[in-house]
Amino acid sequence: MTRPFALSLLALAVIPFQSAIQPLSGPVRAEVKREAWHRGCPVPLSDLRLLSVSYRGFDGHTYTGQLVVNRSAAAPLALVFRQLYALHFPIRHMSLANAYGPLRQRPADGDVSASFECRQAVPSPCVGGSGTGTWSEHAFGEAVDLNPVENPYVGCGQSRDPRSRSNFNRSQHRPGMVTPAVVRAFRSIGWGWGGSWTGSTKDYMHFSASGH
């Protein structure tokens, strides 16, 4: 192994985890208000925070990701992402532009990890439809979806995203799939996992404060 290559590997190995929690700036507030918040949402914009964290990409490199979350969840989630970073758990896309930017500029693969979105809970693929009539935990900023392509929302052998079909079989682990260690990281702050729901409906991407 050459010395420059060895030094570059060492540099990658020692990049420390970093996190920051900030109120929504004017531009961020405007972006979220345009794409994911509206009057009547269960939380005001003042109760949301911008959480920035280090994460590992699928290429092994370190990136800075951003999530909009409830202010009460920001510090606990920073602890979770610190654990995911230590586990070298790869995340595909996690930025404000990925979640709230113009649709034409968002990742074509749709594999975006995100949190806040003021919307109703999505019904099981068993049922169909677009809403349940109750707020999603995402509408409170108290839920996170991780790598939705690798971790699909499934029910009755179906998913809303055909790109995720190859990941229905959870016994064949692939990079980016939620592991028991990832579940433990979220459980360490009291959050539950949609992959542990009873019945045929499983939301493998979904973690939330209530477990729903």
Side-chain angles (χ1 to χ4, degrees), residues 137 142-143 190-198 203 206-212:
E137 292 296 288
E142 295 179 341
W191 282 35
W193 179 44
S196 64
W197 293 348
T198 58
D203 197 349
H206 184 76
F207 294 88
S208 69
S210 70
H212 300 297

Side-chain angles (χ1 to χ4, degrees), residues 2-210:
T2 64
R3 182 176 176 81
F5 183 66
L7 289 174
S8 65
L9 288 179
L10 179 62
L12 286 174
V14 300
I15 294 175
F17 174 85
Q18 296 184 349
S19 65
I21 300 168
Q22 301 170 304
L24 303 190
S25 66
V28 171
R29 178 185 287 254
E31 190 171 23
V32 172
K33 188 174 181 179
R34 183 180 64 249
E35 297 293 334
W37 186 92
H38 56 80
R39 191 177 300 276
C41 288
V43 293
L45 289 169
S46 60
D47 279 354
L48 299 175
R49 295 292 182 269
L50 177 62
L51 172 64
S52 300
V53 295
S54 303
Y55 74 92
R56 313 278 187 179
F58 275 68
D59 58 4
H61 294 168
T62 296
Y63 298 92
T64 297
Q66 296 174 313
L67 296 171
V68 173
V69 302
N70 193 289
R71 63 179 179 180
S72 66
L77 284 173
L79 297 176
V80 170
F81 279 95
R82 178 181 292 275
Q83 294 180 64
L84 301 190
Y85 188 76
L87 290 168
H88 290 252
F89 177 75
I91 294 173
R92 185 82 66 184
H93 309 291
M94 192 169 67
S95 74
L96 294 185
N98 297 154
Y100 307 121
L103 288 176
R104 66 183 181 279
Q105 295 179 16
R106 297 182 196 179
D109 57 23
D111 205 11
V112 177
S113 298
S115 178
F116 176 75
E117 183 181 359
C118 185
R119 60 171 173 79
Q120 294 181 25
V122 178
S124 166
C126 292
V127 178
S130 59
T132 61
T134 59
W135 288 117
S136 166
E137 292 296 288
H138 290 281
F140 298 88
E142 295 179 341
V144 170
D145 288 343
L146 284 181
N147 295 339
V149 173
E150 287 76 17
N151 302 291
Y153 182 26
V154 300
C156 303
Q158 305 175 67
S159 173
R160 295 171 183 276
D161 187 352
R163 294 169 294 190
S164 66
R165 180 165 293 278
S166 61
N167 295 309
F168 282 14
N169 185 349
R170 309 307 289 180
S171 67
Q172 297 182 356
H173 180 76
R174 298 180 180 183
M177 281 185 170
V178 168
T179 65
V182 172
V183 175
R184 287 194 296 271
F186 279 93
R187 284 182 179 162
S188 72
I189 65 166
W191 282 35
W193 179 44
S196 64
W197 293 348
T198 58
S200 67
T201 297
K202 309 288 185 184
D203 197 349
Y204 294 112
M205 72 183 82
H206 184 76
F207 294 88
S208 69
S210 70

